[in-house]
Amino acid sequence: MILSVLLLIALIAGIKVMLVMRMLAGMKPPPPAVVTTAKAAYQEWQPQLKAVGSVRAARGADLAFDLAGLVTKVNLKSGDEVKEGQVLVQLRDSEDVAELRQREAAAALAQVTFDRARQQLAVQAISKADYDQTAADLKAKQAAVAQQHVNVQRKQLRAPFSGRAGIITTTPGTYVNSGTALVTVQQTDSVFVDFHLPQKDLATVHVGQKVILNLDAYPDKNFEGELSAIDPKVDGATRNVQIEAKVDNPDQLLTPGMFANVTIDAGAKTKYLTLPQTAIVYNPYGATVYVVTKKADADKAAAEQVKRDGGKQPEATAPSGAPPIPGDALVVTQAFVTTDGVRGDQVAITKGLDEGAEVVSSGQIKLKNGVRVTVDNKVLPADAANPKPQEH
């Protein structure tokens, strides 16, 4: 009975082994993963510094009276071009003008009295003390006229320089308090752009360096200027330094207060091995790429790596019993790379790849070492050095 049971168990085990072997024999290899690829190639690369800046007028001011009063005249419209010294807003000044006329009359009388005293002194008809008194009285009356003249001018809001006026909402009859801004005047034939850079970049910037601005308001237009000043002090809190650039603005397209993307060419042009940014897989342990090679070449490279590692075998990448991959089939091998900077859709590679290496640029999520792939480059990821937004 025991012998019969053992024979039955052996028969069942043999049948299972035969079924497994038949299943493995009929197993088909999984379909290759479809990916796009790009070849690593050297390109001339201009090192650049980038920052976000704020546009500031070459000269700009928010104008206000330094005393309170009632507005009687508004001599401009919103957006007008104004000239230096032009009266923009007038406060009621009838009392001050009347006072000025009174002081001018007193000064005129003092002038007549002084002239008469000078003639009398010449013939010694009066004493020197009387003459000095009339001279002092004339100077006092003239100073009073000058003071009152200033009081009259304080009731006039004048343009401190030529430029464009902003929006004014004040109308005649409005009572304004001192210090209340009534209108802004901005001179924008040229503008300044203020931005900050880290202290580590100070060695690569200098006054006179070319600066390029790009604004979202004009995505297809670049504005060129030059670096005009570098703050001699580094901010102790942020370790950044403030930098000023001057940009000509003949078309008045740049408006104070706008933000701009600032690009500075820093250093000489160099050559970098470049890839599309989509080709890089970023992991906590480093940046990697998938290099596409033939299976035979991948096995050869793996064997050489085993020799360098002292005979340590690589981990298996396919299940045991799986059909072998032909030697001319394309497979991927994961490689670590070192990157150094981004330009548009491209990333610079400084270590880990050779020129001409074919690298997977999309479809990496389904890949691992040794996986078979098929290349389909009908639709490729973006790979432009200076990408521009497109409307669809």
Side-chain angles (χ1 to χ4, degrees):
M1 183 180 295
I2 294 174
L3 182 61
S4 299
V5 172
L6 292 175
L7 289 174
L8 181 60
I9 293 173
L11 179 61
I12 294 173
I15 293 173
K16 287 186 176 181
V17 170
M18 290 177 62
L19 290 176
V20 170
M21 292 181 64
R22 182 177 296 177
M23 183 181 64
L24 292 177
M27 183 183 292
K28 294 182 180 180
V34 180
V35 298
T36 63
T37 61
K39 288 189 176 182
Y42 279 101
Q43 293 191 22
E44 197 172 58
W45 193 300
Q46 172 64 62
Q48 293 179 331
L49 302 176
K50 294 182 179 292
V52 175
S54 180
V55 177
R56 170 171 55 87
R59 288 200 287 180
D62 296 329
L63 306 185
F65 287 104
D66 62 352
L67 45 75
L70 188 69
V71 176
T72 57
K73 289 182 181 180
V74 178
N75 300 323
L76 81 159
K77 296 179 180 179
S78 298
D80 279 355
E81 294 289 337
V82 298
K83 301 294 183 181
E84 182 177 352
Q86 177 181 337
V87 177
L88 306 181
V89 182
Q90 176 72 57
L91 294 183
R92 185 177 65 187
D93 62 352
S94 53
E95 297 91 345
D96 297 283
V97 172
E99 179 70 19
L100 176 62
R101 298 293 178 260
Q102 181 179 356
R103 295 187 181 187
E104 287 176 341
L109 178 59
Q111 181 69 53
V112 172
T113 302
F114 172 74
D115 293 339
R116 184 182 301 115
R118 182 173 52 188
Q119 294 172 358
Q120 291 175 343
L121 180 64
V123 296
Q124 296 183 352
I126 61 173
S127 65
K128 185 68 167 56
D130 292 338
Y131 171 80
D132 292 340
Q133 181 65 38
T134 56
D137 183 63
L138 174 61
K139 290 181 179 180
K141 296 295 176 45
Q142 289 175 338
V145 170
Q147 180 184 11
Q148 190 59 26
H149 188 69
V150 170
N151 291 336
V152 171
Q153 288 185 329
R154 292 176 65 191
K155 299 294 182 72
Q156 298 173 343
L157 191 64
R158 295 178 179 269
F161 48 81
S162 299
R164 179 182 295 178
I167 295 176
I168 182 167
T169 59
T170 303
T171 59
T174 303
Y175 183 85
V176 295
N177 292 316
S178 62
T180 302
L182 302 181
V183 64
T184 183
V185 176
Q186 304 288 326
Q187 189 179 83
T188 56
D189 294 334
S190 63
V191 296
F192 292 109
V193 180
D194 298 317
F195 57 97
H196 294 79
L197 287 177
Q199 65 176 22
K200 66 182 179 64
D201 295 328
L202 273 177
T204 59
V205 295
H206 58 270
V207 173
Q209 208 163 358
K210 181 181 177 182
V211 174
I212 298 176
L213 303 185
N214 182 267
L215 295 89
D216 57 357
Y218 311 103
D220 297 327
K221 185 177 178 63
N222 290 331
F223 299 86
E224 293 188 4
E226 66 176 23
L227 198 151
S228 55
I230 301 175
D231 199 316
K233 181 183 68 174
V234 175
D235 190 328
T238 63
R239 302 305 175 189
N240 291 337
V241 61
Q242 183 174 350
I243 297 179
E244 176 190 270
K246 185 177 182 180
V247 182
D248 290 334
N249 189 32
D251 299 328
Q252 309 289 312
L253 297 179
L254 300 178
T255 303
M258 299 178 79
F259 85 90
N261 296 310
V262 183
T263 303
I264 305 174
D265 291 341
K269 292 183 178 180
T270 57
K271 284 189 175 182
Y272 279 109
L273 204 62
T274 64
L275 284 174
Q277 288 196 57
T278 55
I280 310 299
V281 180
Y282 295 98
N283 298 292
Y285 49 82
T288 62
V289 296
Y290 285 99
V291 182
V292 178
T293 59
K294 289 184 178 181
K295 180 64 167 61
D297 295 335
D299 291 343
K300 183 179 178 181
E304 293 176 353
Q305 183 65 38
V306 168
K307 291 181 180 180
R308 289 194 294 268
D309 293 343
K312 183 180 179 181
Q313 295 294 330
E315 296 181 0
T317 58
S320 60
I325 299 176
D328 60 347
L330 296 178
V331 296
V332 293
T333 303
Q334 195 174 32
F336 285 94
V337 295
T338 302
T339 63
D340 183 21
V342 174
R343 179 183 66 173
D345 300 320
Q346 300 175 342
V347 60
I349 307 297
T350 58
K351 186 179 179 181
L353 277 184
D354 295 325
E355 183 180 10
E358 189 173 10
V359 176
V360 175
S361 57
S362 67
Q364 299 96 324
I365 194 170
K366 49 196 172 184
L367 300 182
K368 63 179 181 178
N369 267 333
V371 170
R372 188 175 178 181
V373 295
T374 296
V375 177
D376 183 1
N377 286 337
K378 292 180 181 178
V379 180
L380 294 173
D383 186 23
N386 297 294
K388 294 182 180 180
Q390 297 180 356
E391 296 182 0
H392 299 281

